[in-house]
Every structure is written in structure tokens, then in C-alpha cells.
Amino acid sequence: MGRLQVVGAVVADGTGRDPIDVDVTVEDGRIIQLGASDDEPGERLDAGGLTMTPGLIDAHVHLGLSSPIQPQFSFQISAAEIAADIFATAGAALDAGFTTVRDTGGIDGGVVTTIAKGKVRGPRVLSCGPVQCQIGGHGYYGADWEPTELWSGHHLPGLCALSMMSGNADELRGNVREAFRRGASFLKLCVTGGVVSAHDRLTDTQFTVEEIAVAVQEAAARGTYVTVHAHNNEGIRNAVEAGARCVEHGTDLDEPTATLMAMRGVALVPTFAVVERLLHDSAEAGLGESVRDRVLGVRERMTEALAAAKEAGVRIGLGSDLIGPAQARRGKELSLRAALETPMEALVAATRTNADILGLSGQVGVITPGAQADLVLWNGNPLEDPELFSDPTNAVLVIQAGQIVKDLR
């Protein structure tokens, strides 16, 4: 891998500082210098008129839910087609400018390693493996008539494992150990009901503090952490008390709970894009109209939760949570967040802050010497027009670990 010098771009480095005109020199997959180089420049890439950002990070993806949801859950789609859909979604993430993603439930380690080996196009993937849920809780999508013990038959080893169910703390301990055996790098628990659920309500809490703490203990033993799917405050507080380090969604987060999260260093990853998609067309994801009814009002409440979290000083990342086949416009999450905050705040959430939440601080998410050379060159300036983030064709050039993986110039 030789040296590459990207010249002429306006660079927004992911830290929140004002963009500057600066050359970026890359060698052996890493950024080695900002500014003009006196050394032999190697390959020179003219990026005049383009805006450079770090490779984007989506902290809440579901590669394993890339097929129409209900047909997948009811065994109407072959393993080959599910695999094809997963890998198509992975390639689309890269094309949208996302060079790193955190999969929050649905894939086994085989997907991670297949992408990492370069056998299919895709971002760097950190995965929790199967979601951990309580019996009949959010994450369980079987038919009403289906015996609980048959749910694991939906798993496709090495490819897709949607969730593992536990009836008590001992079962949960065994299941999280199994998730780590399958390649998980962190854990995700569902501690409240969810939108895409058939057996609970958003106001339900799931798992006890003592049960959540078991998963936290097992994660800590491996030097990693637990994040939780949570919509209501009681579930969030249970998770924080148990030692979870991150909250997904946080729809009804109030000021006292946000303050508690900030005090304990617990991050929040709101997810607006999936709400927008399900309100617009739940059938497109392969879901029934009842899901749309469940999501009504979530966008407004999540907006209030975002404001409460900001006021309390919570670290706030960014995640799309897109499900089903329509995952090509992943950058819509940045456009939606830019409208609620500023375009720069949305970019920082999707780069430096997400890298911090994922445990990759300084390695990705910033344009600085020593960081991985994950870079996106945008047609125009998405900090002036954040809708540019929504259209993958505006990401005209994507560099991942120093390699050009997309080039529309």
C-alpha cells in the first residue's frame, strides 16, 4: 500500500472545529500528515471543490434484518437470499459514506469476518451477535402459537441469529457467554418493550437490575460493555443502576434520568431514521400497519429526549436503526439530526462521538495523524446543505483504511 496525498478539499475533521483547506497524506492505511508534504507525495488525488469528512459511523445498524421482516421471521426466505440481502446492505453502507458500523443485533460472527476478509464490500463491523431478550420480550418475533423453545430454529449459524431468550439470570449468563463465543464484541439487552414487537408495550420493563448486572459482569470480564434497547425511564434507570454503558433509542428520557446517565457516563444513541421510515411506509420494511400505529408520537418524544440529554451533558451518538430492504439512504439520520441540532453537531455525533462510544476513540472518526485513513469526499458541502448526507451519490469518493473503495469522480 503506497502513499496517497489528497489535495484541494475543504476538511471537516470530525472534532467540531471549523473546516479548513488542508492536504491529507495517507500511508499504509493511516493518516500520516496534514498540510503540504515535502516528501515524495506518491499518488496525488485532486479533490478540489469537494468536502472531506471522516468516514461516517452508524452506531445502530441491523445488517441481519436486511430482508422483508415478516417473511424472514416466518421462514419464507432462503438462507442464500438472506445472505445476499445482508451483503447488499453492507455494500450500500459503504457507498453512503459509512466506513464503520455497530451491529446491534441480528448477525453471527461469520458476517463480520467475511466482510473483514474483503470477500464482500462493507464497512468495519462491530457486532453484539444475537440480541439478549427475556422470554416473550422485545427481540422475540415468533408467532403467537409457536413454542418458545422453537425460536432458536430461526438462527442460521454463522450468518443470522436474531435473538436469544432467557428466563432468569443463569440462562442469561449462559446466553451471553454463547454470544461471545460466536464473536460478539459487546452485548445488547432489551430492557423495555419496543416498536417492532408483538408481545409487549413501550411502557413495559424487561429484565431485572440483577439480571442486567449479570450481562454487565460477563462483558466486563472481557473488557467490553453492555448497551440496552430502552424506551422508558424505568428501564433506562434499571440498566444504568446495573452498569450498562449505553442506551439505544431513549424515547421517553426525562431530565432526572438524563442527569443520572450523565453522572454515570452512560451514552445515548437516538434513532430517528427508522421512525421516519416506519411512519412513511411500514410495508416497505415487510411489516404490518400495526407497527405504524405503535410508532406514532415516538418522533416527537425522541426529539424531547434528545434535548433533555443535551441539556444534561450526556454523550449523544448517532444511529439509524434501519430495518428491512430499504437501507441505502443511511445518511438520512445525519440530515434529520442536523435539523434538530446543527449540521456540525450531527457530523461530530456520527464521527468522533460514535468512535468514542464504540471504544475506537482516536482510531476512527477523526482526521488526524495516526488515525485510520477512513475518509469521505462529498460533492458540495453537507455542513451547509445537510440533505447531501441523505443521498449516497453525493459521497463521490470513499476511502477505507487507505484504500479507495468507491469513486464516482
Side-chain angles (χ1 to χ4, degrees):
M1 190 183 299
R3 177 174 290 198
L4 173 67
Q5 191 171 31
V6 185
V7 301
V10 176
V11 177
D13 65 5
T15 67
R17 290 192 287 260
D18 289 340
I20 58 172
D21 297 305
V22 65
D23 298 344
V24 177
T25 304
V26 173
E27 189 170 38
D28 296 330
R30 296 198 173 274
I31 299 165
I32 63 167
Q33 185 172 334
L34 301 184
S37 175
D38 295 329
D39 299 330
E40 180 62 36
E43 181 184 352
R44 189 174 185 276
L45 193 157
D46 185 356
L50 302 178
T51 302
M52 179 189 293
T53 69
L56 303 179
I57 303 168
D58 191 334
H60 194 120
V61 308
H62 290 290
L63 297 180
L65 298 177
S66 296
S67 304
I69 303 300
Q70 287 178 337
Q72 179 177 348
F73 291 166
S74 55
F75 299 108
Q76 296 176 38
I77 304 177
S78 70
E81 187 173 347
I82 290 171
D85 291 342
I86 288 172
F87 295 135
T89 293
L94 204 57
D95 287 338
F98 289 85
T99 52
T100 301
V101 300
R102 183 178 65 156
D103 192 287
T104 50
I107 58 172
D108 258 359
V111 174
V112 178
T113 55
T114 298
I115 295 171
K117 289 176 180 178
K119 294 193 172 185
V120 295
R121 297 177 71 247
R124 180 182 301 103
V125 182
L126 284 73
S127 170
C128 69
V131 170
Q132 305 298 324
C133 64
Q134 73 175 33
I135 291 176
H138 182 66
Y140 172 70
Y141 305 109
D144 290 343
W145 60 265
E146 183 179 78
T148 299
E149 59 270 18
L150 295 184
W151 175 244
S152 60
H154 291 263
H155 291 188
L156 300 171
L159 177 67
C160 185
L162 298 171
S163 62
M164 304 175 78
M165 286 190 294
S166 304
N168 54 52
D170 287 340
E171 289 181 6
L172 179 62
R173 190 181 298 275
N175 282 341
V176 300
R177 288 176 175 175
E178 174 66 10
F180 281 123
R181 184 197 70 79
R182 296 186 192 182
S185 56
F186 67 100
L187 297 174
K188 178 187 170 190
L189 273 62
C190 294
V191 302
T192 75
V195 171
V196 184
S197 289
H199 308 280
D200 57 36
R201 301 161 299 173
L202 292 182
T203 52
D204 292 351
T205 60
Q206 298 172 1
F207 284 131
T208 64
V209 172
E210 293 73 22
E211 287 169 334
I212 301 167
V214 165
V216 170
Q217 182 184 44
E218 291 294 326
R222 293 161 181 82
T224 189
Y225 67 97
V226 170
T227 190
V228 295
H229 157 105
H231 287 281
N232 66 62
N233 288 290
E234 186 176 355
I236 294 171
R237 288 193 295 268
N238 287 343
V240 172
E241 182 180 342
R245 305 304 300 168
C246 188
V247 172
E248 313 296 313
H249 314 303
T251 301
D252 290 312
L253 181 68
D254 61 17
E255 292 179 11
T257 308
T259 299
L260 176 64
M261 287 176 62
M263 287 174 54
R264 299 286 183 88
V266 179
L268 174 68
V269 177
T271 52
F272 288 93
V274 68
V275 176
E276 196 80 7
R277 290 308 309 158
L278 294 177
L279 281 171
H280 174 72
D281 188 357
S282 58
E284 185 178 51
L287 291 164
E289 186 66 21
S290 61
V291 171
R292 188 177 185 279
D293 296 336
R294 291 172 72 98
V295 84
L296 288 174
V298 167
R299 176 173 53 193
E300 292 76 15
R301 290 169 10 234
M302 194 177 287
T303 300
E304 294 172 0
L306 174 64
K310 284 190 69 175
E311 179 67 24
V314 174
R315 279 182 306 155
I316 307 172
L318 178 144
S320 68
D321 194 21
L322 293 174
I323 55 175
Q327 298 193 33
R329 297 174 69 86
R330 191 169 299 280
K332 184 66 176 176
E333 186 70 27
L334 281 86
S335 303
L336 292 169
R337 281 284 291 276
L340 299 172
E341 303 178 82
T342 68
M344 181 62 84
E345 286 174 311
L347 176 64
V348 172
T351 52
R352 185 181 65 179
T353 304
N354 269 354
D356 185 46
I357 291 170
L358 271 58
L360 299 174
S361 185
Q363 301 177 53
V364 296
V366 287
I367 299 174
T368 190
Q372 191 94 310
D374 291 354
L375 309 168
V376 185
L377 289 158
W378 299 90
N379 180 29
N381 186 348
L383 296 176
E384 295 176 356
D385 179 9
E387 279 302 315
L388 294 175
F389 284 125
S390 297
D391 187 349
T393 62
N394 292 316
V396 295
L397 192 140
V398 179
I399 297 172
Q400 184 183 41
Q403 297 279 0
I404 296 174
V405 293
K406 177 190 179 185
D407 190 351
L408 298 182
R409 290 174 300 157

